[in-house]
Every structure is written in C-alpha cells, then in structure tokens.
Amino acid sequence: MAGIRHAVVIGAGLGGLACAARLATAGVPVTVLEANGRVGGKVGGDQWDGYSVDLAPHVFSMGDAGELARVCRILDAPLQFVVRNPLAKVRLGRKEFTFPGRFDSPGDAASLVLRAGIRPSRLLGAGRHFLQMAADGPDLARLGEDTTLQDWVSRYTDDPTYHTLINLFSILAFVLPYDTTSAMEMAHCMSRMVRGPGIGYPIGGCRGLVESISRGIQRAGARVELDSPVDRIESSRGRVRGVWCRGQRVEADAVFCNAGVRRTVELVGDDAVGPAYAARARRLTVSMAGVMIRYTLDAQVIESPVLFTMPTTPATDVARRIRQGRLLEAGMGYYATVPSNFDPGLAPPGGQVVIAGTAFYPEVPARAGLEQMLLGLERRLENLYPGFADAIVRRVPTTQVHVAAASGRRITGEAVGVAQTPDQCGSGRPKRHTPVRGLYVVGADTGKGAIGTELAASSGLAAAEDAIDRS
C-alpha cells in the first residue's frame, strides 16, 4: 500500500462509500468529503417524528448477492435484506397482477407473461423473448451493442401489452424509455436478477444502510467529513495532487469523485483532462429525473410493498410523449415503494411510509408543471386506495432539485446517472480512470451491467481495486 499515501473520496453516495470501504480495509489512509450534512446521496433519508423516510423510492435488485452486500461483508457491517413475495402489485391500464420478489424457476418468468394478459395468439413470441432475457440466452450473442430494447422486443412480438410491460421494466430499472435503453444491458441485469436471491430491501431502511456503511468505514480508519464541499481538484504534470475544500488544500495522490463525469471535469478543469475527454463528458446523456411525494401515514392503507402502474397508451407513444414533455397526455405511470411493508420498524405502530414518484425529462416541467404532475400522482393513489388522503400525516414533494443537491450534480438531478443507452454501454461506457493519473470517477456514471444502487457500488469497489493494483 506504499503507493497510495492518502486518498480523498469526493462524495459519500453509495459509489463513494463503497470505494472508501475497499480502500480503508486495504490499509489506505482515506478521507471522505461530503458536501451535505448526511451520507448516502440519492439513497439517503430523513427521520420524521418516528418515521424513517427514504429520499426516493428504492428496492435492491440483487439483495444478499449484490455489490452492496459485498461492501457490508468487507466492513463486517450488519445488513439484512427482506424479500417479499409477491413484491409488487402491477396495473397496466385496468389489468392488475402481481410481480414476484424472487424467481424460483423459468416457469415463474413464464407465468408473469401469462398474468400480464398477453394476447393468446402472441403469447409464444412474448414468452420466448422473456425467457431469453431472463436466462441470458443465446440470442444475446447476436444482439450487438447498438440494439435498443424496443428493437429486441419487436423481433419476437408486436403485442402492445408486452411492449408496455417491457417499457415499464425499462423505466423502473434504468429510468429510461425502452426505445433508448440498451438491450444488452437489460438482458444482463434481468438475468442476474432472476438468478439472484430476490429483490430486497434492507432492514433499517436506506438511511440505516448508508449510515451503517459510514460507521464501518470509520471503524476501518477512514475519516468522513460532512458539510465539506470540494471546490477544486488540483493536478499538475498529468497527475492528481489533492483537492481544495472550504479554502483548505487537502493533499492526496489518489482522488475518487462520486459527483459524476461532468462534475469531475468541472472540478479538475478541461486543460487537465484534455479537450477530447472534456467534450465527450459534456455530450454524455443522462437518465430521466424524477418527481416524488414522500408520505407518512397514521394508518396502514397500502398492502403491497411496491406498486407499478402504466397506462394502456402504446409504449412507443408513451416514450415519445415523455420526451416531448407531454407527460400528462402519456397517462403518467408511477412507481411507489412502501418501506414499512418491508420493515415495520420504519414507522410507528399502525403507521406507514410511502414514497411515490414518476419519471420525466428535466425539461418537462416547463410544459406540464411540477404541481400538475404531483397532483396527478396523488389523485391516482387516492383513487386506488380510499382513505389514503385522510391518513396523511406529512406530505413532502421532492423534485430533481432535491436529488441534484443530494448527489452533487448541479444541473440535472437525474435519477441514475449516465444513461444506459446502446452508445453508452459496453465499450462506450465512461471509464473509471481519467486522463489525469490518480483521478477516478466512481458511481453510477462509470458502473456497468447493473441497476441503480448496484451500478454505483460496483463502480466504487472496482475503482478502488484498480488504484490499489496500480500502486
């Protein structure tokens, strides 16, 4: 470990925490500098009068088999994922069915397609596609990196219900419509999830998870400094030299930035990384953002741990209208988690926590209006669950502005990061290392082959291991 004298991690999101965990347990001196007053980034949360409330609606696709679980094992930090089966209630128009929290056999995948209401004449094609996707089947070898998820589905079936179902999965997993999502990325993620232990949620909630990891890295010797925004990354002669934080220079020969590729370039400067790298960083497209309402209830109104809804509008029209800012015309599907249905300890006895949201492109509010979107979301919950409105104790709207503040991304507040589109996956994915020696980008922007939180954690672990190996 003589090669790394001191490492600085910018940002205590999951990518940064995972990176710090790997470095600290390898004996590297580490300082984590977090701009906010709490750790976790987008996966953080709040404590409100006995309710533990996540910042955004989260479930964890790989449970005990994922990279987050690996981080906790490295730190010997307690972690227990709860898997509920069925996981979710799904509504496609007026059709309602359940989605499993765990796939125990290929038959479970096939039965999901049946329950979705695919037309009998088109069931064979839809079933063949779903099994290919769920099993990492031989079709993947012929896909190519440039294939979108919509194009892949269309090779098997034109059934509108199945297209709507896959578009729903795409938005839930990658916060992207299926006509822009990488088919290869979806296939890898879906097959891993099907083979895994189940889609879970941590006991103690998201807030408990990230705070447990933070305590673990501090036990391993790392320093975590909150309310410590980094103003600049210093480099010279092609090598990172440290960072500037609150007017003070912090020397470091390895810096890991968890604020995204674009922000990393802003902090270190175009001259340091070179014009080609800087230009590509600015061209990168990102996932959609989200608008959410976080609720605490004094009654247990919703019985399912997760809710998904999508309109009967054809999937291609939904995708187009979302991009055009016509979200309300698209029928506005939504996604909600009920964390207290996984862990009742997250709410007082008899109470409930609900996080409900919908995805949109950041330019949409100028056309649709955030208030209209929030009102539409709330009306859907009230129509589905009589008594919901009367049970509300606290209601807090949360927009892309809040997400941007939590994640260190000044402009967009995207839900994930660099979008998992065909041109930005596989060989086109941004690399963890930068042209500046010793400077790395960690988090979802440089993760691959995973969903959301696992994307971020895997990137942080891999970047730390890269740096250790190079030292």
Side-chain angles (χ1 to χ4, degrees):
M1 296 307 101
I4 303 179
R5 295 185 299 277
H6 181 226
V8 166
V9 176
I10 302 172
L14 279 181
L17 291 173
C19 180
R22 184 67 184 89
L23 292 169
T25 54
V28 176
V30 185
T31 301
V32 180
L33 300 174
E34 167 55 50
N36 294 298
R38 63 186 179 191
V39 299
K42 300 170 190 172
V43 190
D46 296 291
Q47 193 75 18
W48 299 339
D49 300 322
Y51 296 85
S52 185
V53 185
D54 298 342
L55 176 66
H58 290 290
V59 291
F60 297 80
S61 60
M62 292 302 296
D64 291 330
E67 298 297 273
L68 275 175
R70 183 183 164 206
V71 171
C72 291
R73 287 194 296 272
I74 288 171
L75 295 169
D76 197 22
L79 175 66
Q80 180 184 351
F81 282 105
V82 177
V83 176
R84 300 292 186 208
N85 217 6
L87 169 72
K89 180 179 289 186
V90 183
R91 291 178 63 93
L92 298 182
R94 295 184 178 181
K95 180 75 176 178
E96 187 174 293
F97 57 97
T98 59
F99 186 92
R102 181 177 58 249
F103 290 88
D104 293 320
S105 70
D108 288 345
S111 67
L112 175 62
V113 174
L114 282 170
R115 293 197 304 275
I118 310 301
R119 296 177 185 176
S121 61
R122 297 169 180 175
L123 193 58
L124 180 59
R128 284 177 57 225
H129 175 263
F130 200 89
L131 287 173
Q132 285 282 334
M133 185 170 62
D136 224 351
D139 193 34
L140 297 190
R142 300 188 294 272
L143 270 181
E145 289 187 354
D146 61 345
T147 306
T148 67
L149 183 54
Q150 179 192 5
D151 288 342
W152 189 30
V153 174
S154 297
R155 295 177 189 178
Y156 286 85
T157 181
D158 61 357
D159 182 82
T161 300
Y162 187 70
H163 276 254
T164 296
L165 181 67
I166 298 302
N167 191 35
L168 170 64
F169 290 167
S170 180
I171 292 172
L172 292 174
F174 306 117
V175 200
L176 285 176
Y178 81 141
D179 63 349
T180 58
T181 295
S182 162
M184 189 77 77
E185 196 83 344
M186 181 60 156
H188 288 318
C189 293
M190 191 71 180
S191 62
R192 288 184 69 220
M193 188 172 69
V194 167
R195 295 195 303 267
I199 303 168
Y201 185 86
I203 292 292
C206 290
R207 180 171 173 265
L209 168 66
V210 295
E211 289 182 352
S212 176
I213 294 173
S214 178
R215 289 191 296 270
I217 64 176
Q218 290 175 80
R219 285 195 304 271
R223 294 173 57 195
V224 178
E225 299 185 10
L226 303 179
D227 299 309
S228 299
V230 170
D231 306 309
R232 181 164 64 91
I233 298 171
E234 181 181 314
S235 70
S236 65
R237 298 180 182 178
R239 172 167 282 282
V240 75
R241 304 296 178 181
V243 304
W244 287 81
C245 174
R246 295 179 297 186
Q248 299 292 318
R249 183 176 184 272
V250 181
E251 186 173 345
D253 54 343
V255 173
F256 303 82
C257 187
N258 192 197
V261 177
R262 291 184 192 176
R263 182 64 180 143
T264 301
V265 172
E266 290 175 4
L267 289 170
V268 74
D270 289 12
D271 290 344
V273 296
Y277 185 91
R280 183 171 186 243
R282 294 188 182 98
R283 287 196 304 270
L284 292 170
T285 59
V286 296
S287 68
M288 290 191 289
V291 59
M292 296 154 281
I293 309 179
R294 301 191 286 163
Y295 297 97
T296 59
L297 310 180
D298 62 10
Q300 296 179 358
V301 179
I302 300 174
E303 72 283 357
S304 177
V306 180
L307 310 170
F308 308 146
T309 75
M310 281 293 277
T312 53
T313 309
T316 51
D317 290 345
V318 170
R320 186 182 69 253
R321 291 175 188 178
I322 287 173
R323 275 193 297 279
Q324 292 172 345
R326 297 158 58 196
L327 188 68
L328 299 181
E329 293 177 43
M332 200 175 77
Y334 74 85
Y335 167 50
T337 57
V338 188
S340 53
N341 283 358
F342 289 100
D343 179 2
L346 300 177
Q352 202 163 52
V353 176
V354 179
I355 321 291
T358 193
F360 68 99
Y361 283 98
E363 62 270 22
V364 166
R367 302 185 185 185
L370 284 178
E371 282 304 316
Q372 286 179 282
M373 293 162 66
L374 292 169
L375 184 60
L377 174 61
E378 191 155 89
R379 283 176 175 166
R380 285 176 179 269
L381 286 172
E382 291 171 359
N383 289 338
L384 284 173
Y385 298 98
F388 182 87
D390 293 336
I392 296 173
V393 176
R394 189 168 181 178
R395 171 191 184 275
V396 178
T398 303
T399 70
Q400 81 274 20
V401 175
H402 301 94
V403 174
S407 64
R409 296 167 186 265
R410 291 182 170 179
I411 302 172
T412 52
E414 64 271 18
V416 180
V418 169
Q420 287 158 285
T421 54
D423 60 323
Q424 296 181 161
C425 286
S427 61
R429 197 72 181 161
K431 304 297 187 287
R432 295 181 292 271
H433 60 273
T434 72
V436 178
R437 293 193 307 276
L439 176 60
Y440 299 82
V441 181
V442 300
D445 275 15
T446 57
K448 56 185 178 180
I451 294 172
T453 52
E454 296 290 341
L455 196 69
S458 64
S459 168
L461 289 169
E465 288 163 359
D466 288 350
I468 291 168
D469 290 343
R470 293 183 183 198
S471 69

